[in-house]
Amino acid sequence: MFLSQLELNLQSRRVQKELANRYELHRTLMHAFKKPSLANERLLFRLEADRGSAKILVQSQNMPDWSFFTEEEIFQRYLIRPNPDIKTFSPQIFSGQKLLFRLVANPSCRKAIYKDNNGHGKRIGLYTEEDQLKWLEKKGNQNGFIPIDVSIQSAGTIRGVKTQDNKKHILKIPCVRYDGLLQVSDPMAFENGLKMGIGPAKGFGCGLLSLAVIR
């Protein structure tokens, strides 16, 4: 896998527009995988903003080509630095391993009593810390890890517009940030979860599981 870090130019009108509509931000990032062979790329990203700066951490299965930020005129002022850092990421995962982690996610569940436009159960956000922790434990069970020590804080509401069936849908996605310690219970499932992301709203910047070795 590959990790890239992009520093956004907050003076750019395009950046401002895409920060207000996170799905458009995802579409911009996908420009780095234009080749037909990369059409099925599972791209995960997380926006990290602090005191007038904004960086995006991007995880991809294939080597991204960020040259479009300098070659295409509409992206000329998008980044502070035109050549983002790219690192390879090949963690050695084993059962029982303990790792520090960070995850921005949309803890939610589908309720059959509420129907969306397709007749499916509507996704409902989980707002109590108890429910948010239970959601993480459930996702951990599905993705080969056990949360051991976790802090939870609000990561705000992500807004976006998604077009489906020729209709525009305005989305508001409540997010939380999980930080803490986890233990790997199933290395194969864990590696799959790491690659595919955790939970819904991945196209809006949720689901990227960042890891660090305990020192």
Side-chain angles (χ1 to χ4, degrees), residues 1 32 45 49 52 57 67 69 78 83 94 108 131-132 193 196 210 212 214-215:
M1 292 186 288
F45 72 98
L57 183 64
S67 61
F69 281 122
Y78 199 93
N83 298 306
F94 55 88
S108 56
D131 285 342
Q132 291 166 352
M196 302 305 293
S210 297
I214 302 172
R215 303 208 181 268

Side-chain angles (χ1 to χ4, degrees), residues 103 105-108 124-140 147 150-156 174-178:
L103 170 68
N106 169 227
S108 56
I124 304 298
L126 302 175
Y127 293 97
T128 69
E129 187 169 308
E130 180 182 2
D131 285 342
Q132 291 166 352
L133 182 57
K134 286 181 179 178
W135 179 89
L136 181 63
E137 291 171 344
K138 179 180 178 180
K139 291 301 176 184
V150 183
S151 67
I152 303 174
Q153 65 181 67
S154 172
C175 300
V176 301
R177 194 180 85 186
Y178 297 95

Side-chain angles (χ1 to χ4, degrees), residues 46-157:
R46 183 172 67 242
L47 174 67
E48 297 185 336
D50 181 42
R51 297 181 181 180
S53 68
K55 296 180 180 179
I56 300 178
L57 183 64
V58 180
Q59 178 182 293
S60 59
Q61 303 304 302
N62 298 283
M63 171 73 83
D65 180 4
W66 302 115
S67 61
F68 71 92
F69 281 122
T70 54
E71 294 174 356
E72 297 184 30
E73 186 175 351
I74 58 173
F75 296 111
Q76 289 292 307
R77 297 181 61 250
Y78 199 93
L79 299 181
I80 295 293
R81 293 187 296 110
N83 298 306
D85 295 330
I86 304 174
K87 297 180 179 179
T88 57
F89 178 52
S90 301
Q92 302 300 309
I93 304 299
F94 55 88
S95 184
Q97 183 179 20
K98 293 182 179 179
L99 296 163
L100 298 172
F101 78 95
R102 170 169 292 178
L103 170 68
V104 170
N106 169 227
S108 56
C109 63
R110 290 193 180 276
K111 295 290 186 179
I113 61 173
Y114 303 107
K115 301 293 185 181
D116 60 19
N117 294 332
N118 296 317
H120 301 137
K122 192 173 182 180
R123 190 171 292 281
I124 304 298
L126 302 175
Y127 293 97
T128 69
E129 187 169 308
E130 180 182 2
D131 285 342
Q132 291 166 352
L133 182 57
K134 286 181 179 178
W135 179 89
L136 181 63
E137 291 171 344
K138 179 180 178 180
K139 291 301 176 184
N141 185 56
Q142 295 170 349
N143 291 280
F145 69 89
I146 302 168
I148 297 176
D149 183 21
V150 183
S151 67
I152 303 174
Q153 65 181 67
S154 172
T157 300

